[in-house]
Every structure is written in C-alpha cells, then in structure tokens.
Amino acid sequence: MVLTQEAIKVNTHHVGKMVLTKEVGRDGSKDITESYKFPEGSEEERLAMEAAVKYGMSPLSVLLPEADVEMDVHVEDVAIGSDFKLTLQFKNKKAKPRSLNIYVSGNIVFYTGVTRSQFKSKTIEVKVGPLQTQ
C-alpha cells in the first residue's frame, strides 16, 4: 500500500503568524511579524498575493475545496533555549469519523532562511469522531 499526500486545504492564516527573534540583551523573544508580513486583509497583502501569482505561484494553491477537518495551532510564549508547548486541535465538520496521520517538525531557522537543526520530528495518528473537536 502506498500512502500519498495531497493538499486538501491551504490555510494562509497559519503562515507567518508568529515570526520571532531573540531580544537584544535578554533571553526573551520578540514578535517581529509586522516587519515581515502585511496585515491580514490589507490592500498591501492583496497586492503581494497578486504579484506572487504573476511570478509563478499557482492561484489554485489557495482555492482548494473546503476541508472536512479544520486544524488550529496554538503555541504558548517561546523563550529562547526553553521548552514550549504546541497544541493542535482538530474539528471534524462531517458526520463521519476521520483518521488523520499528522507529521509535526520543529526547526531552528535563521533570519536568512537557513535551517540550523531539527529539534522535533513526530508522526501521530488522531481519530476524530463525527462533528467532534479534539
């Protein structure tokens, strides 16, 4: 049996939601998302999307059909060098149970986009009952 992966939904609200860097002179983190991403729904964001489509991004990649299961990602405050908690919540919007194979990975990435190392790699199976949230 061959398992394949295909996009069933692209959630543009998860990408760039929290861009963090280390605070100067402290061990805390600073959210710099506003420096790298236009506000959701703004004219600048719309123009950026149009430019991406113009230069090769497929417009279909954001026009996929509605998914049966929604996923919410919650991350508590992240302090440099400390553990943090990541919570995934799944909402089954259909009257049939769903089995999900979820792959989660965490990587240290420099502001240049270069990946330093992977600190977490885990695959889990989640079963969500009809019209349930887990």
Side-chain angles (χ1 to χ4, degrees):
M1 177 167 86
V2 176
L3 297 176
T4 60
Q5 296 179 354
E6 65 179 77
I8 58 170
K9 181 180 177 185
V10 175
N11 187 329
T12 58
H13 299 288
H14 285 320
V15 176
K17 188 171 187 175
M18 185 170 28
V19 180
L20 301 176
T21 190
K22 183 182 177 304
E23 284 186 299
V24 176
R26 298 179 51 196
D27 286 335
S29 60
K30 180 177 180 180
D31 188 343
I32 57 171
T33 307
E34 297 292 321
S35 300
Y36 287 89
K37 186 178 178 204
F38 294 116
E40 294 290 332
S42 69
E43 178 70 10
E44 293 90 349
E45 181 196 34
R46 185 185 65 74
L47 292 172
M49 179 58 87
E50 287 177 2
V53 169
K54 180 179 176 183
Y55 290 103
M57 181 181 148
S58 169
L60 297 178
S61 66
V62 293
L63 300 175
L64 295 169
E66 184 176 328
D68 291 354
V69 178
E70 289 181 351
M71 179 180 77
D72 284 322
V73 179
H74 306 280
V75 181
E76 64 182 28
D77 288 338
V78 178
I80 304 295
S82 298
D83 291 345
F84 63 93
K85 183 177 181 180
L86 170 72
T87 304
L88 303 176
Q89 184 176 52
F90 303 96
K91 179 180 181 182
N92 183 358
K93 300 188 298 182
K94 299 294 179 178
K96 294 182 181 179
R98 295 291 186 239
S99 291
L100 312 169
N101 287 310
I102 309 300
Y103 173 71
V104 178
S105 68
N107 298 280
I108 297 172
V109 181
F110 293 108
Y111 70 93
T112 59
V114 174
T115 301
R116 177 173 175 222
S117 62
Q118 184 177 63
F119 60 85
K120 186 70 168 182
S121 174
K122 187 172 187 174
T123 301
I124 56 174
E125 185 176 337
V126 177
K127 294 184 186 297
V128 186
L131 305 170
Q132 299 284 314
T133 298
Q134 180 174 326

